[in-house]
Amino acid sequence: MNKKNVLYVKDLNKTYSKNSSKSVHAIKNLNLEVKEGEIFGLLGPNGAGKSTFINILAGTTIKTSGEVNVWGFNLDVNPRQVRASIGIVPQEVNVDPFFTPWNILELQAGMYGIKKKDRITETILKLVSLDKQSKSYTRALSGGMKRRLLVAKALVHKPPIIILDEPTAGVDVELRSNLWDNVKQLNKQGVTIILTTHYLNEAEQMCDRIGILNKGSIVALDTTKNLLKRIQTKIVKFAVDKKVSISNDSLKSINILSNKIDELVVSYEKNALNISEIIKFISLQNIKLLDISTDDGDLEDVFIRLTKN
Ligand code: ADP
Ligand code: MG
């Protein structure tokens, strides 16, 4: 059975115009669909328009033109239902330092008109591992804890879609993986996840599909698997018993990364050269290969190729 579209965006445009000075076309004819249950990643360099896009969904930035549908609701017709369907974790951390996590979640629930008996404050705090800090002032929380509190805040009205804007920017590695575990757990419970990040390895691990945004336009949109298939660069490391005599001109597409007495590291393009040709080249010099290890390129390669002018 086809999963339903939980997000449907058609020909979306946003131009920021500052009175007399020049205007910024931050989103250009963006088209996008996200399906129920997906983890969708929006990647892009700084200034690509990621936050603008998310703020439009959140209702804090007004689009210039185009159509946005969330959970079947049209943003122009049913803005309140749109807002009820999504939980936004913003890029900027702004929580009142003199409130406790418990207070903040209760206030947020009040804002959404959730009755006391229907609130799930305790459950949410457990989910983001802040149950022990529930009654501490938030100013005493670490950066990572504040981030998790923002995730918690986005969950109080049990939205079917959670949108996270660079949730791990400035968060240390351990807390990052902890936060992603939380997000994966939510996804397992059926919540659709839309996130932006500039940590490509995280996107690679987390996302079912990825859209790459550059200067307001989508330059690639595919499953993570298919995007990775586009990568042609391979890196190979040879442990050798003598220094290899080799240069960038020796073989097609080869690029010498380092060449030492006991080790040669090169990169090459899969579509231009086969590893067996490199092995043959080395063997012809009567050099023994003691070990070989290869490394596939990652999303970073695709990203750099697609976003450099
Ligand atoms: P990202 O989140 O991908 O880094 P943004 O959406 O923040 O990108 O920014 C996209 C473009 O829009 C940038 O050129 C940025 O300078 C511009 N921009 C963002 N917010 C505003 C604003 N409030 N007023 C004017 N220009 C803005
Ligand atoms: Mg941003």
Side-chain angles (χ1 to χ4, degrees), residues 50-51 91 165-166:
K50 304 180 296 293
S51 292
Q91 184 169 359
D165 194 5
E166 305 221 14

Side-chain angles (χ1 to χ4, degrees), residues 25-261:
H25 200 169
I27 299 286
K28 294 174 194 151
N29 296 319
L30 190 133
N31 291 287
L32 190 63
E33 288 172 19
V34 175
K35 300 238 182 293
E36 186 170 9
E38 269 195 307
I39 302 187
F40 180 83
L42 193 60
L43 308 189
N46 267 336
K50 304 180 296 293
S51 292
T52 298
F53 176 65
I54 283 176
N55 294 339
I56 290 171
L57 301 181
T60 52
T61 294
I62 308 297
K63 65 184 165 65
T64 305
S65 67
E67 192 183 328
V68 174
N69 289 280
V70 179
W71 203 246
F73 298 109
N74 184 296
L75 182 63
D76 296 320
V77 185
N78 299 108
R80 275 220 284 161
Q81 282 87 338
V82 166
R83 216 166 317 140
S85 309
I86 49 186
I88 304 267
V89 183
Q91 184 169 359
E92 305 298 329
V93 176
N94 56 344
V95 285
D96 193 311
F98 296 103
F99 278 62
T100 68
W102 179 275
N103 292 147
I104 286 172
L105 296 192
E106 284 289 312
L107 269 172
Q108 182 81 354
M111 251 164 54
Y112 276 99
I114 300 164
K115 293 198 188 83
K116 279 247 152 60
K117 66 172 174 52
D118 295 327
R119 292 184 189 174
I120 49 167
T121 306
E122 221 172 296
T123 313
I124 299 173
L125 285 169
K126 276 213 186 85
L127 179 75
V128 298
S129 318
L130 283 176
D131 41 329
K132 289 198 182 68
Q133 290 79 19
S134 74
K135 300 286 162 66
S136 321
Y137 285 138
T138 57
R139 72 188 151 127
L141 303 184
S142 71
M145 287 174 175
K146 282 182 192 146
R147 284 275 173 192
R148 297 204 314 267
L149 180 56
L150 289 183
V151 176
K153 223 176 131 184
L155 295 174
V156 297
H157 58 297
K158 299 187 217 166
I161 308 163
I162 300 284
I163 303 182
L164 305 104
D165 194 5
E166 305 221 14
T168 52
V171 175
D172 67 51
V173 176
E174 192 189 336
L175 285 170
R176 245 192 261 165
S177 80
N178 184 302
L179 191 105
W180 287 132
D181 286 346
N182 289 160
V183 171
K184 276 213 164 123
Q185 201 182 329
L186 282 170
N187 180 250
K188 280 212 185 86
Q189 292 166 15
V191 179
T192 304
I193 310 286
I194 298 171
L195 60 91
T196 78
T197 175
H198 61 253
Y199 295 110
L200 298 178
N201 59 334
E202 290 185 350
E204 199 174 316
Q205 284 162 31
M206 287 289 295
C207 301
D208 304 312
R209 273 196 318 138
I210 287 176
I212 297 181
L213 194 66
N214 191 35
K215 295 180 183 155
S217 300
I218 296 266
V219 291
L221 180 65
D222 213 332
T223 59
T224 307
K225 213 168 133 192
N226 281 340
L227 278 181
L228 290 171
K229 266 196 211 148
R230 293 197 196 178
I231 299 159
Q232 289 296 335
T233 308
K234 253 187 121 79
I235 295 172
V236 57
K237 193 194 306 188
F238 300 98
V240 285
D241 67 342
K242 283 198 287 282
K243 188 168 176 181
V244 184
S245 169
I246 191 167
S247 75
N248 288 342
D249 301 322
S250 301
L251 292 160
K252 209 173 165 198
S253 87
I254 205 155
N255 184 22
I256 317 298
L257 299 175
S258 86
N259 191 4
K260 290 184 276 193
I261 186 145

